[in-house]
Amino acid sequence: MTLKDLLKTLTPDTLVGIYNVDDGSAKMPTTQTYQKVKNIPWCKLRHIIDFEVIAVCVVEKNNGLFIRVHDKGRLEKSLNNWDLAEKIRARLK
């Protein structure tokens, strides 16, 4: 399920914190930084809207949803490159 599909199913007043696991410089959302779905600025979503959802957890402190996303295409490309590198290494031996 993509982030776009998940956000469509939520009510506009649902609190969410979105974390991109592929982004090494991203900070984990705190309970103070959770936003309602209707108030999330497009600049925060435009690069991750088509990413795959890994996990959704309910945060008891604010009854919000903690959503982890990742780029499935980037992961598959990385795995294919790793597989190709292993085949080349095995052939050189």
Side-chain angles (χ1 to χ4, degrees):
M1 171 183 274
T2 64
L3 180 61
K4 178 177 24 177
D5 296 334
L6 178 64
L7 292 177
K8 284 181 186 177
T9 62
L10 300 175
T11 62
D13 292 327
T14 305
L15 288 173
V16 295
I18 302 170
Y19 179 65
N20 180 6
V21 297
D22 293 333
D23 186 4
S25 64
K27 295 181 181 178
M28 297 272 285
T30 62
T31 54
Q32 292 84 14
T33 59
Y34 277 54
Q35 295 178 313
K36 292 182 179 182
V37 172
K38 65 182 178 184
N39 293 338
I40 300 174
W42 176 245
C43 63
K44 287 188 177 182
L45 291 177
R46 68 177 172 211
H47 297 294
I48 63 171
I49 195 75
D50 292 322
F51 283 14
E52 291 290 317
V53 174
I54 298 173
V56 178
C57 305
V58 177
V59 178
E60 293 180 8
K61 290 182 180 179
N62 61 3
N63 289 328
L65 297 176
F66 175 61
I67 303 169
R68 290 183 182 155
V69 295
H70 77 99
D71 186 2
K72 187 176 181 180
R74 181 177 172 202
L75 176 65
E76 288 176 0
K77 184 177 178 181
S78 175
L79 291 174
N80 289 339
N81 289 343
W82 180 261
D83 186 47
L84 179 61
E86 286 295 318
K87 288 178 182 177
I88 292 171
R89 192 175 305 135
R91 189 169 189 150
L92 293 176
K93 288 184 181 181

